[in-house]
Amino acid sequence: MKKLYFALAALVMGATAFAQDYYVIGGNVNGSSWALAQEDAKMSPVEGQDKVYRVTLETLGTGFKINDGTWDNADINFGSNGEAIQLDVPYEYSVGETTKDIAFDGFSTVKNATVTLDLNSATITVSGESEGAIKWYFAGNCVEPNWIAGDGGLEMEGDDTEISCVANLIEGGTAFVITSTGWGTKYGKGEFSEKAINADCLSSVLDGEDDMTIDLVGAYLVTFNFETLTVTFAPAAGVADVAVDANVAPVYYNLQGVRVNNLVEGNVYIAKRGNEAIKFVK
């Protein structure tokens, strides 16, 4: 009887030792940002389906992964295959140490999201209610606040061809990327890593998701072209006490590159008109 007891105990302990936990992590998982091993984001085995796990979340933002609650095991790091995810469509994930975040296709958030990980078909499926538009940002350590992609970051505006923003590049900052909401899709220097962007080279072909380097200080109009995959920096004109043409509708930024709507007398701003930017005193 004792032998049977110990055999059963060993069997249970062995099963427990090989049990694997899976967690959804990302820029917006139940309101938390990239928190590891959240209990409310832990996936549970689906009854009657071997190697299938599921969790329901109040919110899931674009730019997420599934892993074991750590960054330690590359074999349990499920991320992007290079395409965006659509609701209710099984997504063939990539797995490994360098896999990227999974981005949503055309929306930023899913409410009441059900996330299913199927290890048999190597897919992730997300169902729920989509909302919110995808936005683009200029982010890095060359602007303040550093590495913010979202509220408080430098939002880039434009169309499907070209987007731009005004950035006040700070001394000592060396890196940046062009990224969508929640770090879902990022553009960086990739294979062109040997070509740093600096004062002698104000544009560079981009490919991949590595940080780009820069050696500029001051206010610049930053423009990114989706068709040519190039980024350009146009210096803003010098400070001048100028009158703003009432017939033109410029976009205004403060010297930190943050868009403002209400201008204060005596403050210095940057007015962006098309592909030109000028500093002026209100």
Side-chain angles (χ1 to χ4, degrees):
M1 188 67 179
K2 288 184 177 180
K3 289 184 178 180
L4 178 60
Y5 172 80
F6 286 120
L8 289 174
L11 181 62
V12 171
M13 290 179 63
T16 302
F18 288 101
Q20 179 61 62
D21 293 330
Y22 298 95
Y23 297 85
V24 179
I25 62 171
N28 177 5
V29 177
N30 288 335
S32 296
S33 178
W34 294 105
L36 294 175
Q38 280 182 255
E39 282 303 308
D40 60 358
K42 183 177 179 179
M43 310 189 81
S44 300
V46 177
E47 186 175 354
Q49 299 185 54
D50 186 40
K51 298 182 180 179
V52 180
Y53 300 82
R54 184 171 292 154
V55 67
T56 298
L57 307 167
E58 291 184 6
T59 57
L60 176 62
T62 189
F64 72 94
K65 288 184 175 183
I66 295 175
N67 68 18
D68 63 350
T70 72
W71 295 110
D72 299 334
N73 192 344
D75 294 331
I76 308 175
N77 188 39
F78 308 113
S80 172
N81 65 15
E83 299 180 355
I85 195 170
Q86 301 179 36
L87 288 185
D88 304 315
V89 178
Y91 179 87
E92 296 182 358
Y93 58 72
S94 289
V95 61
E97 182 177 358
T98 60
T99 189
K100 307 302 180 182
D101 306 340
I102 299 174
F104 292 142
D105 187 7
F107 52 92
S108 62
T109 307
V110 178
K111 296 179 64 177
N112 302 315
T114 297
V115 184
T116 302
L117 171 66
D118 189 334
L119 300 179
N120 303 296
S121 60
T123 61
I124 294 170
T125 304
V126 177
S127 300
E129 309 159 22
S130 63
E131 65 177 17
I134 294 291
K135 297 182 179 180
W136 288 89
Y137 301 91
F138 178 91
N141 66 5
C142 56
V143 291
E144 294 179 338
N146 288 352
W147 293 114
I148 297 295
D151 293 340
L154 300 185
E155 182 178 341
M156 305 187 77
E157 300 177 321
D159 52 31
D160 293 339
T161 301
E162 195 170 85
I163 53 177
S164 63
C165 71
V166 173
N168 187 48
L169 306 176
I170 61 176
E171 188 172 358
T174 58
F176 74 94
V177 295
I178 308 295
T179 180
S180 66
T181 304
W183 307 99
T185 302
K186 291 179 286 187
Y187 289 97
K189 62 192 178 184
E191 65 185 86
F192 298 93
S193 58
E194 75 282 1
K195 296 183 179 180
I197 298 176
N198 51 48
D200 298 319
C201 175
L202 297 184
S203 66
S204 175
V205 177
L206 313 181
D207 186 18
E209 297 188 338
D210 295 331
D211 300 343
M212 290 171 279
T213 55
I214 192 168
D215 184 19
L216 294 172
V217 176
Y220 282 81
L221 175 66
V222 183
T223 302
F224 177 72
N225 188 292
F226 289 102
E227 295 182 347
T228 61
L229 295 181
T230 58
V231 61
T232 57
F233 293 79
V239 176
D241 191 355
V242 298
V244 178
D245 189 342
N247 297 320
V248 179
V251 177
Y252 299 108
Y253 299 85
N254 61 24
L255 293 184
Q256 286 68 51
V258 178
R259 184 170 175 174
V260 294
N261 295 319
N262 300 316
L263 308 187
V264 178
E265 290 287 342
N267 285 359
V268 179
Y269 296 97
I270 300 169
K272 172 181 170 293
R273 299 178 178 85
N275 290 325
E276 295 184 350
I278 185 172
K279 280 184 182 178
F280 70 96
V281 178
K282 170 64 175 174

